[in-house]
Amino acid sequence: MYSINYFNKDEFKESLIEKGTIPLNEKWRKIHLKIELLVIFVTFVMELIILVIGYKKYINISSSTYLIRYLLTPVSINLLLYLIAYLVNRYSTNDKKFENIKNIVVNISFVIQIFVVAVVHQYFSAVYFIFTVPILLSVIYGSIGMAAIITILSIFCIMISAFLIKYDSDLIVNFAFSVDILLIETMIIIFFILAVLIMVYIRKKQEKLISTMIDIQTLKNSINVDRLTGVYTKIMLREFFEDAKEGLFGNEFCIAICDIDNLSNVNNEFSHTAGDRILNIFGNILKRYESNNFVPIRYGGEEFVLGINENIDKAIRELNQIKERFKRECKDEFGKQVSLSIGITIADIDKAPPHILSEADVALRYAKQSGKDKISIYDEKTMKID
């Protein structure tokens, strides 16, 4: 609920990219796998149609041979490739590097599936244009390196299918066929260049968006967190009381107001820089205790409000620890003991926030009047609110 954001631009940028890309890639891989399954289904149906209407117009083999060579074999291989990619994608891990491995496996499995289709139909040079599809699909992942791997693999698969494997006995590798393959590979390279240009454009837009979000977060951080002390600003006090009103702290919680004793004397004796350093020391101490049950807020000047979701006894123990640590650290740095006066009240959610703060303020006044360097608990019988 409460967590003071000590804003780091590089960490914030990294978290934005991580939160944006990982879920997007996960969704896209699922779509990618569906596309692979669709390609397998479409090729299966097309081969089935060719078998029925008359494949002998193109090749002279028996029906059983056609069924095995052009239908069952490629479909079986591609289903196996799809299953491997599907299982890799289903594997759950918190390793960010494995997310990239999933992307690569899904993309490579698709290229190999197209390679299988190209080998089976190598007689038709136009079938090699299908290799442009995985290059286009790789754009969504935003990785130029992966797009380059897919492009190189596609060119390599085209060369093997066209010139090294003779799956179709009627295939004649002549000059015209070689020119067609060269043109197709040129098209593959053009598609890769287009994919890179698109990714560069998307990346620039993403960087502008991230820069805007960093500026917004920087502004929000400057509003919510005090720059000198590192604790919450006064604006968070209202949010704290709203949460209390909703019952997030139970029926009772504690509100304490702390005031650094004689800070003006320190400023006069040393300098205002020394006074700022004392405020910084106190802020650093409070940050060590900061949690959902301990919310430190700089109220103004040398006054701090603490929202403590603990019983009064535990709250007093924590405040004594803070007070003594503050005195010790100030003495170590300045050779002078700087004390702290604290007023605390048990807050009731039915009371208005200004009334609760007034109770703590009255208790603080009693601590000051009784010699300072003390913790005073509000007592409605003996302490009066002006």
Side-chain angles (χ1 to χ4, degrees), residues 103-119:
N103 295 339
I104 292 170
V105 169
V106 170
N107 278 272
I108 288 177
S109 73
F110 193 32
V111 174
I112 298 174
Q113 285 180 41
I114 292 172
F115 169 70
V116 172
V117 174
V119 168

Side-chain angles (χ1 to χ4, degrees), residues 121-315:
H121 298 281
Q122 59 187 178
Y123 183 84
F124 304 100
S125 57
V127 77
Y128 294 105
F129 277 108
I130 307 175
F131 280 99
T132 59
V133 177
I135 296 172
L136 289 175
L137 293 180
S138 69
V139 170
I140 304 296
Y141 298 97
S143 172
I144 295 174
M146 188 170 68
I149 291 171
I150 298 303
T151 302
I152 293 168
L153 182 61
S154 296
I155 292 172
F156 186 67
C157 287
I158 290 171
M159 296 294 289
I160 292 175
S161 174
F163 300 114
L164 297 181
I165 298 175
K166 195 169 184 181
Y167 196 81
D168 191 337
S169 58
D170 294 329
L171 175 67
I172 300 173
V173 180
N174 53 25
F175 179 76
F177 180 81
S178 300
V179 170
D180 287 344
I181 296 300
L182 181 62
L183 289 172
I184 290 166
E185 291 187 341
T186 303
M187 286 296 296
I188 294 290
I189 295 171
I190 291 171
F191 268 82
F192 168 69
I193 293 170
L194 288 173
V196 170
L197 291 174
I198 292 169
M199 282 187 278
V200 169
Y201 175 74
I202 292 172
R203 194 170 292 177
K204 284 182 178 179
K205 289 193 71 176
Q206 185 187 54
E207 287 175 356
K208 285 184 179 179
L209 179 61
I210 289 173
S211 178
T212 302
M213 294 182 74
I214 287 173
D215 291 341
I216 293 170
Q217 184 63 30
T218 303
L219 178 61
K220 182 180 177 182
N221 196 73
S222 66
I223 293 171
N224 292 339
V225 179
D226 181 62
R227 293 181 66 182
L228 178 61
T229 61
V231 301
Y232 288 117
T233 58
K234 193 174 179 179
I235 197 170
M236 291 297 289
L237 189 58
R238 182 170 61 181
E239 184 176 324
F240 175 82
F241 278 117
E242 286 175 356
D243 289 343
K245 194 74 176 175
E246 292 176 6
L248 297 181
F249 306 127
N251 293 326
E252 290 185 344
F253 54 95
C254 295
I255 289 290
I257 298 181
C258 309
D259 185 82
I260 299 173
D261 296 325
N262 304 319
L263 185 62
S264 58
N265 293 342
V266 175
N267 289 332
N268 295 332
E269 184 176 345
F270 294 94
S271 66
H272 283 280
T273 303
D276 288 346
R277 174 58 187 147
I278 286 172
L279 288 168
N280 179 255
I281 289 170
F282 187 53
N284 287 334
I285 292 170
L286 292 178
K287 284 190 292 185
R288 296 172 200 166
Y289 289 84
E290 185 270 328
S291 68
N292 287 344
N293 293 322
F294 190 98
V295 182
I297 297 166
R298 188 180 182 190
Y299 196 55
E302 59 265 32
E303 281 193 346
F304 294 78
V305 172
L306 308 178
I308 308 171
N309 184 27
E310 303 286 358
N311 60 56
I312 189 69
D313 293 332
K314 187 169 182 181

Side-chain angles (χ1 to χ4, degrees), residues 5 19 37 42 65 99 147 164 232 237 329:
N5 182 16
K19 289 176 183 177
L37 201 58
V42 170
T65 304
E99 287 296 315
L164 297 181
Y232 288 117
L237 189 58
E329 291 191 16

Side-chain angles (χ1 to χ4, degrees), residues 317-332:
R317 282 198 300 271
E318 287 184 343
L319 292 174
N320 271 313
Q321 291 172 5
I322 290 169
K323 191 163 69 71
E324 294 306 315
R325 180 174 288 179
F326 175 66
K327 288 165 64 177
R328 186 170 61 252
E329 291 191 16
C330 287
K331 189 171 184 180
D332 289 344

